[in-house]
Coordinates of all heavy atoms in Angstrom, one line a residue:
D425 N -26.4 2.0 -18.7 CA -25.7 1.7 -17.5 C -24.9 0.4 -17.6 O -25.0 -0.3 -18.6 CB -26.7 1.7 -16.3 CG -27.6 0.5 -16.3 OD1 -27.4 -0.4 -17.1 OD2 -28.4 0.4 -15.4
A426 N -24.1 0.1 -16.6 CA -23.2 -1.0 -16.7 C -24.0 -2.4 -16.9 O -23.5 -3.2 -17.7 CB -22.4 -1.1 -15.4
L427 N -25.1 -2.6 -16.3 CA -25.8 -3.8 -16.5 C -26.5 -3.9 -17.8 O -26.5 -5.0 -18.4 CB -26.8 -4.0 -15.3 CG -26.2 -4.0 -13.9 CD1 -27.3 -4.3 -12.9 CD2 -25.2 -5.1 -13.8
D428 N -27.1 -2.8 -18.3 CA -27.6 -2.8 -19.6 C -26.5 -3.0 -20.7 O -26.7 -3.8 -21.7 CB -28.3 -1.5 -19.9 CG -29.7 -1.4 -19.3 OD1 -30.2 -2.5 -18.8 OD2 -30.3 -0.3 -19.3
E429 N -25.4 -2.5 -20.5 CA -24.3 -2.7 -21.4 C -23.9 -4.2 -21.4 O -23.5 -4.7 -22.5 CB -23.1 -1.8 -21.0 CG -21.9 -1.9 -22.0 CD -20.9 -0.9 -21.6 OE1 -20.9 -0.3 -20.5 OE2 -19.9 -0.7 -22.4
A430 N -23.9 -4.8 -20.3 CA -23.6 -6.3 -20.2 C -24.6 -7.1 -21.0 O -24.3 -8.0 -21.7 CB -23.6 -6.8 -18.8
L431 N -25.9 -6.7 -20.9 CA -26.9 -7.4 -21.7 C -26.7 -7.2 -23.2 O -26.9 -8.1 -24.0 CB -28.3 -6.8 -21.3 CG -28.8 -7.1 -19.8 CD1 -30.1 -6.4 -19.5 CD2 -29.0 -8.6 -19.6
L432 N -26.4 -5.9 -23.6 CA -26.3 -5.6 -25.0 C -25.0 -6.3 -25.6 O -25.0 -6.7 -26.8 CB -26.2 -4.1 -25.2 CG -27.5 -3.3 -24.8 CD1 -27.2 -1.8 -24.9 CD2 -28.6 -3.8 -25.7
T433 N -24.0 -6.4 -24.8 CA -22.8 -7.1 -25.2 C -23.0 -8.6 -25.5 O -22.4 -9.1 -26.4 CB -21.7 -6.9 -24.2 OG1 -21.4 -5.5 -24.0 CG2 -20.4 -7.6 -24.7
T434 N -23.8 -9.2 -24.7 CA -24.1 -10.6 -24.8 C -25.1 -11.0 -25.9 O -25.1 -12.1 -26.5 CB -24.5 -11.2 -23.4 OG1 -23.6 -10.8 -22.4 CG2 -24.6 -12.7 -23.4
A435 N -26.1 -10.1 -26.1 CA -27.2 -10.4 -26.9 C -26.8 -10.4 -28.4 O -25.8 -9.9 -28.8 CB -28.3 -9.4 -26.7
D436 N -27.7 -11.1 -29.2 CA -27.5 -11.2 -30.6 C -28.0 -9.9 -31.3 O -29.2 -9.5 -31.1 CB -28.3 -12.4 -31.2 CG -28.1 -12.6 -32.7 OD1 -27.4 -11.8 -33.3 OD2 -28.6 -13.6 -33.2
E437 N -27.1 -9.2 -32.0 CA -27.5 -7.9 -32.6 C -28.7 -8.1 -33.6 O -29.6 -7.2 -33.6 CB -26.3 -7.3 -33.2 CG -26.6 -5.9 -33.8 CD -25.3 -5.2 -34.3 OE1 -24.2 -5.8 -34.1 OE2 -25.4 -4.2 -35.0
D438 N -28.7 -9.1 -34.4 CA -29.8 -9.3 -35.3 C -31.1 -9.5 -34.7 O -32.1 -9.0 -35.1 CB -29.5 -10.5 -36.2 CG -28.3 -10.3 -37.1 OD1 -27.9 -9.1 -37.4 OD2 -27.6 -11.3 -37.5
A439 N -31.1 -10.2 -33.5 CA -32.4 -10.3 -32.8 C -32.9 -9.0 -32.3 O -34.1 -8.8 -32.2 CB -32.2 -11.3 -31.6
L440 N -32.0 -8.1 -31.9 CA -32.4 -6.8 -31.4 C -33.1 -6.0 -32.5 O -34.0 -5.3 -32.3 CB -31.2 -6.1 -30.8 CG -30.6 -6.6 -29.5 CD1 -29.4 -5.8 -29.0 CD2 -31.7 -6.7 -28.4
M441 N -32.5 -6.1 -33.7 CA -33.0 -5.3 -34.8 C -34.3 -5.8 -35.3 O -35.0 -5.1 -36.1 CB -31.9 -5.3 -35.9 CG -30.6 -4.6 -35.6 SD -30.8 -2.9 -35.1 CE -30.6 -3.0 -33.3
A442 N -34.8 -6.9 -34.9 CA -36.1 -7.5 -35.3 C -37.2 -6.7 -34.7 O -38.4 -6.7 -35.2 CB -36.2 -8.9 -34.9
Y443 N -37.0 -5.9 -33.7 CA -38.0 -5.1 -33.0 C -38.0 -3.7 -33.5 O -36.9 -3.2 -33.9 CB -37.9 -5.2 -31.5 CG -38.0 -6.6 -30.9 CD1 -36.9 -7.3 -30.6 CD2 -39.3 -7.2 -30.7 CE1 -37.0 -8.6 -30.1 CE2 -39.4 -8.4 -30.2 CZ -38.2 -9.2 -29.9 OH -38.4 -10.4 -29.3
D444 N -39.1 -3.0 -33.3 CA -39.2 -1.6 -33.7 C -39.8 -0.9 -32.5 O -40.9 -1.1 -32.1 CB -40.0 -1.4 -34.9 CG -40.0 0.1 -35.4 OD1 -39.1 0.8 -34.9 OD2 -40.8 0.4 -36.3
G445 N -39.0 -0.1 -31.8 CA -39.5 0.6 -30.6 C -40.5 1.6 -30.8 O -40.6 2.3 -31.8
V446 N -41.5 1.7 -29.8 CA -42.5 2.7 -29.9 C -42.4 3.7 -28.8 O -42.4 4.9 -29.1 CB -43.9 2.0 -29.8 CG1 -45.0 3.0 -29.8 CG2 -44.1 1.0 -30.9
T447 N -42.3 3.3 -27.6 CA -42.1 4.3 -26.5 C -41.5 3.5 -25.3 O -41.3 2.3 -25.3 CB -43.5 4.8 -26.0 OG1 -43.3 5.8 -25.1 CG2 -44.4 3.7 -25.4
A448 N -41.1 4.3 -24.3 CA -40.4 3.8 -23.2 C -40.8 4.5 -21.9 O -41.0 5.7 -21.9 CB -38.9 3.8 -23.3
L449 N -40.9 3.8 -20.8 CA -41.1 4.4 -19.5 C -39.8 4.2 -18.8 O -39.4 3.1 -18.4 CB -42.2 3.6 -18.7 CG -43.6 3.7 -19.4 CD1 -44.6 2.8 -18.5 CD2 -44.1 5.1 -19.5
P450 N -39.0 5.3 -18.6 CA -37.7 5.2 -18.0 C -37.7 4.7 -16.6 O -38.8 4.7 -16.0 CB -37.1 6.6 -18.2 CG -38.3 7.5 -18.3 CD -39.3 6.7 -18.9
F451 N -36.6 4.4 -16.1 CA -36.5 4.0 -14.7 C -37.0 5.0 -13.7 O -36.8 6.2 -13.8 CB -35.0 3.7 -14.4 CG -34.7 3.4 -12.9 CD1 -35.1 2.2 -12.4 CD2 -34.1 4.4 -12.1 CE1 -34.9 1.9 -11.0 CE2 -33.9 4.1 -10.8 CZ -34.2 2.9 -10.2
D452 N -37.7 4.5 -12.8 CA -38.3 5.3 -11.7 C -37.9 4.6 -10.4 O -38.2 3.4 -10.2 CB -39.8 5.4 -11.8 CG -40.4 6.2 -10.7 OD1 -39.7 6.6 -9.7 OD2 -41.6 6.5 -10.8
P453 N -37.2 5.2 -9.4 CA -36.8 4.6 -8.2 C -37.9 4.0 -7.4 O -37.8 3.0 -6.7 CB -36.1 5.7 -7.4 CG -35.6 6.6 -8.5 CD -36.7 6.6 -9.5
A454 N -39.1 4.6 -7.5 CA -40.2 4.1 -6.8 C -40.7 2.8 -7.4 O -41.1 1.8 -6.7 CB -41.4 5.1 -6.8
R455 N -40.7 2.7 -8.8 CA -41.2 1.4 -9.4 C -40.1 0.4 -9.5 O -40.3 -0.8 -9.5 CB -41.6 1.7 -10.8 CG -42.9 2.6 -10.9 CD -43.1 3.2 -12.3 NE -42.8 2.3 -13.4 CZ -41.8 2.6 -14.3 NH1 -41.0 3.6 -14.1 NH2 -41.6 1.7 -15.3

Side-chain angles (χ1 to χ4, degrees):
D425 73 1
L427 300 183
D428 280 351
E429 188 173 7
L431 294 173
L432 296 175
T433 301
T434 309
D436 184 357
E437 185 176 347
D438 293 336
L440 293 179
M441 295 301 103
Y443 298 99
D444 187 10
V446 177
T447 188
L449 299 177
F451 170 74
D452 182 349
R455 293 164 39 246

